[in-house]
Amino acid sequence: MSAPLIEVENLRKRYGGIDGAPVVDILRGVSLRIAAGEFVAIVGASGSGKSTLMNVLGCLDRPSEGRYRFAGRDVATLTADELAWLRREAFGFVFQGYHLVPTDSALENVEMPAIYAGTGEAERHARARQLLGRLGLAQRVSHRPNQLSGGQQQRVSIARALMNGGRVVLADEPTGALDSASGAEVMQLLSDLADAGHTVILITHDATLAACARRVIEIRDGTIVRDTADPSAPAANADAAPFHWPARPARSGPRRWPFDRAAARAAWRVMGLNRFRTALTLLGIVIGVASVIVMFAIGLGAKDRVMTQIGAFGSNLLYMAAIGESSRMPGRSLTLADLDAIAALPDIAHVLPNITGNRVVRAGSHDMQTYVRGTGPALPSVQNWQLAQGSFFDAEDERQVATVAVLGSKVARELLPDTADPVGRTLLIGRTPFLVIGVMSAKGALTGEKDDDNVVLVPFSTASVRVFGQREPTYAVIAVRDVARVAITETAVAALIEKRHRMRDFQIFNSAASLAAQAKTQDAMTVMLSLIAVVSLVVGGIGVMNVMLMTVRERTREIGIRIATGARHGDIVRQFLTEAMLVSITGGVLGVLIGLAIGLGLLAAGVPAVFSLRAILAAFGCSLATGLVFGYMPARQAARLDPVVALHGA
C-alpha cells in the first residue's frame, strides 16, 4: 500500500442560493483515492457531475464541502498563486473542444504552460517542438488551430498538457468532437501516457472508451455508484515519479511586470486581427498626444516672441515717473537735479530724461494726434531700439535745441503715406516745423507707455522749450550696469529720491519684473492650453478601457485556457495591461510624429512654434500612463474571471 496522489473525502459541490436562485447539488459526498500512474475513467451520463468532479480535481473549482488532498496536502489551504502553480506543474488538461488559443500557432499553444513557469525561450521552443514531433506534428508547428484537423488540434492539446511534465492528465471527453479513427489515436496516446507513468483521468459518457482504462468509476446524480478498484488500497505505477511540494510553490516562475515579449507578441497579434477597432482606439491617443505637443509648441513660441520683443527694450531698465503734484509741496515733481543725483549712484550706467505728451502733427495734407516724446540722444543704445531709416539726433542737436524729429514706424506710415523714405521731409508739431531725420524700427505696444510705434521723438531740450514749455522731465529711463543688481538698484534709487523729496511722490517700473510677470502669464496660458489638449488623452483612455472591456468579454475562453495552463492572476493582468499599453505606445509614437509634423507646418507658415523635448516626453509619458490607468480595470476584471465559467465562454 502507498499514499494516494489524489484523495477526496465527502466532496460536495452546489450552485445557486444567491439572490433567490435555487440550490442545486452537483456532487453529493464523493470520496475516492487515485494513486500515481493510474489510468482511471470516470463515466456517467450528462449532468451526473463528472465534469464538475474533474474541475475540482484539476483545481479549476473549489468544493462547497469536503476535503481534497493532493500529494498529502490539503488543497483548501493553498492560495490563488499556489493553485496556479499546482495547475501549471502537476496537471495537464485535454478538453473536448481542444481549447486552443485561435491566434497562436501550434508551437505557441504548446509553450503556454512553460511561459507561465518562467522557462527560457530557447528551452521551451525545443521542448515544444520535441513534443509536437513525438505526436506526429513536426510539420505543423507554425499552423494555427483553424489550419489543423480535429485530431491534430487534440494532439496539440495533449502536447500542451505534457509541456511542464503533466504528472496528471485530465481528459474531458477528449474524443467527443473527433471521428472514430482520430478518437482511437487519442485514446492510444492516453494509454501510452499511462504506461509511461502519467496519471490519466478520463472523463467520458462512453462505456466503450471507459473500458480502455484500467479502472472505471461510475458516477450518477453526484455520487459514485461503481468503482472497479478498491479505493482504500491504491497501487502506484512503478514508472510514476513521486511528486514533491516545494517550500514556496507560489514563487515558482518570475513576475515580469507589466511587460514581456510573449505578452507583447500576443497583444500585437490581437491588434492586427482587429485593425479597424484598433485604429479607432488609437485615434483618441494620437489626437491627445499631438495636441499636447502642438499646444506647447505654440505657447512656447508665443512666449518666446513676446519675451524677445519686451526684452528688446532692455531687461536692465528702470522706468521712474512722478505721481503728480503733492498737496503739501505744490509744484514738486521729478527734476533734472534728481536725475543727476541718480546718475551718481554706483550701479547706474545711464539716466535718460523724457518729457511727453499728445500733440497734433501735420505733414502736407495729413494730420494726426500722436505721442511726442522728448528724449536724449542715447535712446537707441539704452533701450536697444534700432533705426530703420536715416539717423538719430546727437548731443550737438540736444545742445543746439535743434528742431529735428525721428518718427515711429506707425507715424511714418500714416502721416507720410505717399513716400517710402520720409527722411528729409518736414512736419509741424503745433506750429513749429521739424525736419525728419530718421524712422525707428517697429516695436509694438509692449512697454505700457502707449503704442511705441505711434510716437515722434525729438531732443529733450527741444521738447522742453518748443513743444511743451516745461523744463522738468515727465519720467526717466534708468539703465543699470548689472542685470543681476536691478532689484538692489531699484531700492537704492527709491531711497535716494524719497530722501530728496521727503515723500514718495514717484513710482518705479522694473522691466525685469515685468518680464518675469509676462513669462509667468505666458506659462499659465501654455499650461491651460495643454490641459485642454490632455482632455483628448483622457477621452482616448476611456476608449482604451471600453475596447479592453469588450476584448475581455470576447476572449473569456482564452482567459480560461490561460488559467487552466497555470497563469496566475498577475499573469492575466499583465497580458491585458500589455495590450492596453501597446495601444497607448503605438498611439503615443504616432501622436508625437503627427504633432512634430503639424509644428513644422506651422513654422513653415510663419507661426511661431518652439518644440519642447520635455513636452514631447511628457505627452508620450501621459499616453503610457493612460494605457496603464485605463487598462488596469479591464485587466483586473479578466484576472478575476471564474476559470470554469471562462472555459465555457460564458
Side-chain angles (χ1 to χ4, degrees):
M1 293 181 62
S2 60
L5 181 65
I6 293 173
E7 182 178 10
V8 297
E9 297 178 3
N10 197 30
L11 207 66
R12 295 177 180 273
K13 181 65 181 179
R14 64 179 63 94
Y15 295 101
I18 301 175
D19 296 331
V23 176
V24 179
D25 290 315
I26 305 299
L27 298 178
R28 306 179 182 184
V30 173
S31 298
L32 63 86
R33 305 172 80 194
I34 299 175
E38 279 196 273
F39 187 0
V40 180
I42 299 177
V43 64
S46 296
S48 62
K50 60 185 185 298
S51 293
T52 301
L53 178 59
M54 185 204 78
N55 291 332
V56 171
L57 295 180
C59 299
L60 294 175
D61 204 355
R62 290 181 181 267
S64 303
E65 294 179 23
R67 178 173 292 179
Y68 172 25
R69 292 189 184 92
F70 185 86
R73 188 162 178 177
D74 191 345
V75 173
T77 64
L78 301 180
T79 65
D81 279 358
E82 289 172 335
L83 288 172
W85 178 89
L86 188 60
R87 287 192 293 267
R88 185 169 62 244
E89 301 296 333
F91 296 107
F93 294 90
V94 181
F95 300 100
Q96 177 181 354
Y98 322 131
H99 285 346
L100 302 177
V101 177
T103 58
D104 288 356
S105 66
L107 184 71
E108 290 166 338
N109 270 285
V110 174
E111 287 182 335
M112 190 178 296
I115 290 173
Y116 296 130
T119 306
E121 188 171 353
E123 182 181 348
R124 67 174 186 256
H125 280 354
R127 176 156 177 77
R129 288 181 181 277
Q130 178 190 16
L131 287 169
L132 288 170
R134 202 169 98 190
L135 297 176
L137 296 173
Q139 306 303 317
R140 298 287 187 271
V141 293
S142 60
H143 287 58
R144 291 183 180 171
N146 63 356
Q147 298 172 312
L148 301 172
S149 68
Q152 290 171 333
Q153 290 185 62
Q154 196 60 289
R155 278 184 277 169
V156 172
S157 180
I158 293 172
R160 182 181 62 193
L162 300 176
M163 185 65 190
N164 286 347
R167 302 293 185 87
V168 180
V169 177
L170 296 164
D172 186 10
E173 301 283 6
T175 64
L178 302 178
D179 56 57
S180 57
S182 298
E185 289 180 4
V186 169
M187 289 305 301
Q188 184 59 53
L189 285 172
L190 294 177
S191 180
D192 293 343
L193 290 175
D195 291 339
H198 295 271
T199 303
V200 179
I201 301 176
L202 171 67
I203 308 297
T204 183
H205 67 278
D206 190 336
T208 304
L209 292 180
C212 298
R214 287 127 205 197
R215 174 183 172 188
V216 178
I217 299 172
E218 184 178 353
I219 188 168
R220 184 183 303 157
D221 296 328
T223 60
I224 294 176
V225 297
R226 182 170 68 96
D227 189 345
T228 60
D230 181 4
S232 62
N237 187 325
D239 294 326
F243 184 87
H244 299 289
W245 286 93
R248 300 293 296 273
R251 293 200 174 178
S252 177
R255 292 181 179 271
R256 299 174 293 271
W257 183 265
F259 204 84
D260 66 20
R261 287 182 59 187
R265 184 172 57 246
W268 187 259
R269 190 171 295 151
V270 169
M271 287 174 59
L273 291 174
N274 299 280
R275 293 183 182 87
F276 183 71
R277 188 170 69 187
T278 300
L280 291 178
T281 308
L282 287 174
L283 190 60
I285 302 294
V286 170
I287 292 174
V289 172
S291 298
V292 170
I293 293 172
V294 172
M295 291 299 183
F296 252 102
I298 293 174
L300 292 176
K303 174 185 174 181
D304 187 61
R305 171 172 286 186
V306 171
M307 291 300 100
T308 300
Q309 289 176 327
I310 293 179
F313 285 89
S315 58
N316 65 325
L317 299 182
L318 299 174
Y319 294 83
M320 186 175 188
I323 293 175
E325 291 186 347
S326 167
S327 60
R328 292 173 54 196
M329 300 183 68
R332 173 67 72 182
S333 64
L334 198 62
T335 67
L336 290 173
D338 291 333
L339 301 191
D340 291 337
I342 292 172
L345 292 174
D347 289 318
I348 302 301
H350 194 89
V351 178
L352 190 68
N354 293 272
I355 184 168
T356 60
N358 288 321
R359 291 291 186 271
V360 174
V361 180
R362 297 181 180 84
S365 61
H366 295 88
D367 63 78
M368 63 185 295
Q369 186 167 346
T370 188
Y371 187 62
V372 178
R373 176 182 175 186
T375 188
L379 180 142
S381 60
V382 169
Q383 292 195 241
N384 192 26
W385 192 356
Q386 304 304 315
L387 283 155
Q389 294 174 277
S391 61
F392 204 76
F393 46 83
D394 55 22
E396 185 62 24
D397 294 323
E398 175 72 28
R399 283 193 297 271
Q400 295 294 329
V401 193
T403 53
V404 293
V406 178
L407 307 183
S409 61
K410 182 177 180 181
V411 173
R413 185 172 59 253
E414 296 184 4
L415 193 62
L416 300 167
D418 55 345
T419 178
D421 185 6
V423 177
R425 299 289 295 270
T426 300
L427 56 81
L428 294 174
I429 301 178
R431 296 182 178 180
T432 306
F434 282 79
L435 176 67
V436 177
I437 62 171
V439 178
M440 302 303 294
S441 59
K443 278 284 191 178
L446 298 172
T447 63
E449 299 176 352
K450 298 187 179 182
D451 189 342
D452 293 287
D453 295 328
N454 188 22
V455 66
V456 176
L457 302 172
V458 299
F460 180 83
S461 61
T462 306
S464 300
V465 174
R466 296 181 178 272
V467 180
F468 300 111
Q470 176 185 329
R471 304 289 300 181
E472 304 297 349
T474 307
Y475 73 96
V477 179
I478 304 167
V480 182
R481 296 183 191 280
D482 187 354
V483 175
R485 296 182 59 83
V486 168
I488 297 172
T489 305
E490 178 184 357
T491 303
V493 169
L496 172 65
I497 302 304
E498 191 169 350
K499 181 179 179 181
R500 289 174 60 87
H501 291 194
R502 296 194 178 97
M503 65 177 65
R504 193 174 184 91
D505 57 351
F506 59 90
Q507 59 185 359
I508 299 180
F509 170 78
N510 187 331
S511 181
S514 176
L515 277 170
Q518 186 70 25
K520 187 175 292 185
T521 301
Q522 289 293 328
D523 287 339
M525 290 295 296
T526 301
V527 170
M528 185 183 70
L529 291 173
S530 301
L531 288 177
I532 294 172
V534 167
V535 172
S536 298
L537 273 177
V538 175
V539 172
I542 294 172
V544 171
M545 182 170 64
N546 288 337
V547 168
M548 293 307 301
L549 287 171
M550 189 185 305
T551 300
V552 170
R553 185 177 294 274
E554 291 174 350
R555 294 164 60 193
T556 51
R557 180 167 295 176
E558 177 189 332
I559 295 167
I561 295 170
R562 292 182 182 278
I563 294 174
T565 55
R568 294 163 292 195
H569 285 190
D571 294 321
I572 301 298
V573 170
R574 184 177 69 249
Q575 175 66 49
F576 284 88
L577 262 186
T578 298
E579 294 184 17
M581 289 184 66
L582 192 58
V583 170
S584 298
I585 289 172
T586 304
V589 171
L590 290 175
V592 168
L593 295 177
I594 292 173
L596 292 174
I598 293 173
L600 291 173
L602 291 173
L603 285 173
V607 177
V610 176
F611 292 112
S612 167
L613 179 60
R614 183 178 297 178
I616 293 172
L617 294 177
F620 187 75
C622 283
S623 72
L624 292 184
T626 297
L628 191 63
V629 171
F630 287 95
Y632 179 72
M633 189 179 80
R636 186 168 175 265
Q637 179 177 319
R640 297 176 68 179
L641 284 176
D642 183 281
V644 175
V645 174
L647 279 169
H648 287 85

